[in-house]
């Protein structure tokens, strides 16, 4: 078999693709969280950041395509491997005693598919405005930047620019308790998925060994817990009323933003 | 662990998988086994139950066994949901009745997997392992007669690791324990055992590609890193060997795609 054949058809090759796409997705979700935490700063931050991403134009699409391909390959490989595994196991009419497999590993398939369902809802919510239409960013009044938004010291979005009010959209969205609780549950499951994933990918790459697997597990637990807490903070703070709308927010319908 | 029942005779109920042939339906059947010596091995207990069945004119329970000292890998029952039964690092033939308690119901099944079709009762066809071995589990280099021991130096760490892998008796407990019926621990043990030594290192890439390929053809599942295999292994072979094989396989795949290879078809000087 060729290299491509080995990667896409063989058991270990598909696992490698799954682990490699997993690394891309882990990088993304951590970067995404760090970006989102700017909601706790002045609205210039999150709104400037969103505008900066949109200004990337074609580069934004490159990143989006990489992520779409990563998600597609990851889920394709997971599904193929799972179907083969079911076939290989066959009927098990008797008793099965679990000796030591962790709950995170045993639940990984279900947490994965639930995360996928969440991902689709999330995109419908904040990217396409299909869910939660009334507070979608394009229906909210535009936001005037009160200071420059800087990336690595460069002012990428200038003071006075009118941008979409992502900051208010996020807070309005999470003021619905059902939405906020759903987000919290979903990121909890994602964190649990990653607990197995972070550990597992080192085994798949052939880098794990009992000399340091104990430490690796601890690092995975800390990373996943920190990731969960970071994500809990945003809907959690809005839900308990600790984080409210910005001062001077005027409500939808007043003025439809032109800039995109 | 020696329980306080280690001196008392015990009586148990055996719940055994009975299946007349490969395509026949199977079912669990209960057999009482009374007044057993705690010092009796599990297989001796099965022998006794079979004597009783034979006396009654019934078909004895078919089970696989050979050495009865944990070195051949023939014995193969899943006992109370764990391949080779309770206990760590032992084969079924090394299991003693003192592990159980008076009045226990003991569920005995074959090593289940699609790639291990049932032949009869507790006996499965594990020739899938032989096919994997035939595809690369050997060294083709001519070794000649025994060489001078120090002619080829082998680091102690490699020799030890190779020996750890070589402890595999090929019983198939790893497959039976795995939720995916994956043979990765078995194949990893063989690939590592041979690849770690200089004679086998020569064919390392070809071996891992071939053996993994045959493993897949035989219908074994894919590893999802649950590590049930190494916990059930009678030789406690570590799943670290699976990580090593993953690395070997990926390296071999990339090397075979990009490495400069000779165009020559025959041997000798052109
Ligand atoms: C979107 C839906 C997703 C699905 C359906 C899914 C499904 C799966 C499944 C079934 C596994 C199998 C693991 C196993 O059986 O051992 C897995 C592993 C993994 N997942 Fe996901 N996943 C999803 C999202 C993600 C995301 C968003 C990330 C990263 C942020 C991720 C990272 C990983 C990693 C790193 C592994 C371990 C790969 C390995 O075995 O080495 N997954 N996923
Ligand atoms: S009978 Fe040989 S290992 Fe058990």
């Amino acid at each position: 078999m060729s290299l491509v054949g080995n990667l896409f058809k063989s058991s270990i090759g598909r696992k490698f693709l799954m682990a490699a796409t997993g690394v891309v997705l882990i990088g993304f979700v951590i970067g995404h969280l760090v970006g989102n935490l700017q909601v706790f700063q002045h609205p210039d931050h999150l709104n400037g950041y969103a505008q900066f991403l949109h200004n990337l134009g074609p580069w934004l699409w490159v990143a989006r395509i990489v992520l779409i391909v990563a998600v597609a390959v990851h889920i394709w490989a997971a599904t193929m491997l799972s179907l083969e595994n079911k076939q290989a196991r066959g009927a098990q009419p008797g008793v099965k005693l679990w000796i030591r497999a962790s709950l995170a590993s045993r639940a990984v398939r279900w947490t994965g598919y639930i995360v996928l369902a969440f991902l689709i809802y999330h995109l419908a919510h904040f990217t396409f405005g299909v869910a939660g239409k009334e507070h979608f960013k394009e229906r909210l009044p535009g936001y005037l930047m009160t200071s420059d938004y800087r990336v690595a010291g460069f002012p990428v979005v200038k003071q006075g620019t009118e941008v979409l009010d992502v900051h208010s959209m996020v807070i309005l969205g999470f003021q619905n308790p059902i939405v906020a609780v759903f987000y919290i549950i979903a990121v909890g499951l994602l964190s649990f998925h990653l607990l197995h994933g972070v550990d597992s990918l080192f085994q798949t790459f052939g880098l794990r060994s009992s000399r340091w697997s104990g430490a690796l597990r601890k690092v995975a637990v800390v990373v996943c817990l920190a990731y969960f807490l970071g994500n809990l903070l945003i809907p959690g703070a809005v839900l308990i009323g600790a984080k409210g709308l910005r001062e001077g927010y005027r409500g939808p319908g007043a003025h439809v933003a032109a800039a995109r | 662990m020696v329980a306080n029942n280690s001196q008392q005779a015990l009586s148990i109920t055996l719940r055994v998988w009975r299946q007349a042939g490969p395509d026949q339906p199977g079912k669990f059947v209960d057999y009482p086994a009374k007044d057993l010596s705690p010092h009796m091995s599990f297989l001796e207990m099965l022998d006794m139950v079979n004597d009783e069945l034979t006396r009654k004119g019934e078909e004895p329970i078919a089970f696989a066994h050979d050495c009865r000292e944990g070195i051949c890998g023939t014995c193969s029952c899943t006992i109370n949901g764990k391949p080779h039964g309770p206990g760590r690092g032992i084969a079924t033939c090394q299991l003693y009745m003192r592990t159980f308690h008076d009045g226990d119901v003991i569920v005995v099944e074959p090593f289940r997997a699609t790639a291990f079709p049932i032949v009869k009762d507790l006996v499965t066809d594990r020739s899938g392992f032989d096919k994997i071995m035939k595809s690369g589990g050997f060294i083709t280099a001519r070794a000649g007669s025994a060489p001078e021991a120090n002619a080829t130096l082998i680091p102690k760490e490699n020799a030890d690791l190779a020996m750890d892998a070589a402890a595999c008796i090929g019983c198939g407990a790893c497959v039976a324990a795995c939720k995916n019926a994956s043979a990765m621990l078995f194949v990893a043990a063989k690939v590592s055992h041979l690849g770690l030594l200089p004679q086998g290192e020569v064919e390392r890439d070809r071996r891992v590609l071939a053996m993994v390929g045959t493993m897949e053809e035989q219908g074994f599942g894919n590893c999802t890193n649950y590590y049930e295999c190494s916990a059930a292994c009678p030789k406690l072979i570590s799943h670290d060997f699976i990580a090593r094989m993953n690395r070997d396989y990926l390296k071999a795949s990339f090397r075979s795609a990009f490495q400069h290879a000779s165009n020559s078809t025959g041997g000798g000087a052109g």
Side-chain angles (χ1 to χ4, degrees):
Chain A
M1 266 201 284
S2 66
L3 176 62
V4 176
N6 278 0
L7 290 185
F8 283 87
K9 291 213 189 87
S10 84
S11 161
I12 299 176
R14 284 176 185 163
K15 292 218 27 156
F16 172 78
L17 292 178
M18 225 162 112
T21 51
V23 170
V24 171
L25 296 175
I26 290 171
F28 165 74
V29 294
I30 291 177
H32 191 45
L33 171 62
V34 172
N36 290 344
L37 285 173
Q38 294 178 88
V39 77
F40 292 109
Q41 290 173 293
H42 188 275
D44 278 354
H45 282 90
L46 192 63
N47 289 343
Y49 172 63
Q51 186 63 33
F52 159 69
L53 292 182
H54 278 279
N55 288 349
L56 293 178
W59 292 111
L60 179 62
W61 275 104
V62 171
R64 281 176 170 169
I65 289 168
V66 168
L67 288 172
I68 291 169
V69 169
V71 168
V73 169
H74 190 86
I75 296 171
W76 168 79
T79 308
M80 294 302 284
L81 294 172
S82 302
L83 291 175
E84 284 174 10
N85 289 345
K86 221 171 156 220
Q87 172 72 30
R89 172 87 324 265
Q92 199 147 22
V95 198
K96 163 73 185 140
L97 181 82
W98 286 100
I99 313 172
R100 70 157 155 226
S102 68
L103 189 61
S105 71
R106 288 161 55 187
V108 81
R109 195 177 309 152
W110 302 117
T111 53
Y113 287 113
I114 297 170
V115 167
L116 174 63
F118 163 73
L119 182 67
I120 293 168
Y121 167 75
H122 177 58
L123 293 177
H125 191 194
F126 287 154
T127 306
F128 300 113
V130 182
K133 263 200 180 83
E134 27 354 297
H135 52 250
F136 188 57
K137 56 199 171 189
E138 285 169 19
R139 297 176 140 236
L140 300 182
Y143 176 81
L144 283 182
M145 296 288 290
T146 63
S147 65
D148 290 349
Y149 181 74
R150 290 167 183 276
V151 171
F154 292 99
V156 287
V157 182
K158 292 269 190 325
Q159 180 182 356
T161 318
E162 189 181 12
V163 298
L164 293 172
D165 194 357
V166 174
H167 183 88
S168 301
M169 171 177 77
V170 170
I171 293 167
L172 285 167
F174 290 148
Q175 279 178 345
N176 178 344
I178 299 174
V179 174
V181 169
F182 180 51
Y183 265 83
I184 293 170
I185 295 173
V187 292
L189 293 176
L190 173 58
S191 310
F192 203 51
H193 185 87
L194 293 186
L195 181 57
H196 177 62
V198 168
D199 200 336
S200 186
L201 71 92
F202 284 91
Q203 174 80 359
T204 301
F205 287 145
L207 303 172
R208 188 178 178 281
S209 91
S210 56
R211 293 178 68 182
W212 72 292
S213 58
L216 172 64
R217 188 69 182 177
K218 289 192 189 98
V219 170
V221 168
V222 170
V223 167
C224 294
L225 207 59
Y227 178 73
F228 175 63
L229 293 179
N231 265 307
L232 174 67
L233 218 53
I234 305 170
V238 176
L239 196 60
I240 63 168
K243 177 74 196 168
L245 286 161
R246 68 184 163 85
E247 251 170 71
Y249 173 76
R250 282 174 299 150
H255 168 134
V256 174
R260 192 148 197 213
Chain B
M1 185 189 69
V2 179
N4 55 7
N5 59 344
S6 66
Q7 298 304 326
Q8 294 157 14
L10 70 162
S11 298
I12 50 120
T13 305
L14 264 192
R15 183 162 295 162
V16 186
W17 186 258
R18 299 303 309 260
Q19 183 170 338
D23 302 317
Q24 308 288 314
K27 63 170 193 301
F28 284 104
V29 180
D30 284 4
Y31 299 97
K34 295 208 165 60
D35 298 323
L36 305 166
S37 156
H39 306 306
M40 194 179 254
S41 79
F42 189 82
L43 296 185
E44 282 164 344
M45 181 275 296
L46 283 180
D47 291 335
M48 268 194 46
V49 171
N50 275 346
D51 284 349
E52 183 74 25
L53 288 175
T54 313
R55 266 198 296 278
K56 287 198 278 183
E58 287 179 38
E59 186 71 13
I61 304 161
F63 65 95
H65 60 102
D66 188 13
C67 72
R68 298 206 178 196
E69 57 180 9
I71 54 167
C72 74
T74 308
C75 57
S76 59
C77 300
T78 293
I79 302 162
N80 288 342
K82 182 176 170 287
H84 295 304
R88 239 172 81 81
I90 54 164
T92 298
C93 59
Q94 296 167 296
L95 177 66
Y96 290 88
M97 293 314 292
R98 55 179 168 270
T99 318
F100 301 98
H101 296 272
D102 194 44
D104 278 358
V105 176
I106 305 175
V107 184
V108 191
E109 302 173 68
F111 274 3
R112 292 188 199 274
T114 306
F116 288 165
I118 295 176
V119 177
K120 189 178 178 186
D121 298 339
L122 304 174
V123 180
T124 51
D125 175 359
R126 287 169 282 174
S127 60
F129 271 13
D130 301 335
K131 298 199 178 97
I132 296 174
M133 289 305 280
K134 259 170 91 174
S135 70
F138 47 79
I139 291 170
T140 43
R142 268 172 181 276
S145 57
E148 210 287 307
N150 292 323
T152 312
L153 296 179
I154 301 170
K156 174 83 164 76
E157 300 77 50
N158 288 8
D160 286 349
L161 212 51
M163 276 308 289
D164 289 351
C168 172
I169 53 176
C171 62
C174 44
V175 175
C178 176
K179 189 192 119 284
N180 311 319
S182 170
M184 289 283 276
L185 188 64
F186 167 74
V187 182
K190 300 304 173 191
V191 159
S192 305
H193 147 212
L194 297 167
L196 274 160
L197 297 175
Q199 296 86 343
E201 147 83 329
V202 182
E203 292 165 299
R204 187 169 172 172
D205 284 5
R206 201 178 74 194
R207 176 180 306 112
V208 69
L209 294 174
M211 290 182 81
V212 169
T214 312
M215 171 185 90
E216 287 159 3
E217 281 163 23
Q218 295 302 310
F220 292 102
N222 309 292
C223 178
T224 48
N225 308 339
Y226 287 74
Y227 312 137
E228 291 282 291
C229 51
S230 46
C233 176
K235 300 297 159 190
L236 296 176
I237 292 176
S238 165
H239 48 260
D240 288 2
F241 287 113
I242 297 181
R244 164 180 279 276
M245 177 166 76
N246 288 337
R247 199 171 62 222
D248 265 12
Y249 182 86
L250 293 168
K251 274 196 202 157
S253 296
F254 281 93
R255 260 203 294 266
S256 66
F258 297 113
Q259 208 171 41
H260 182 197
S262 163
N263 291 325
S264 132
T265 47

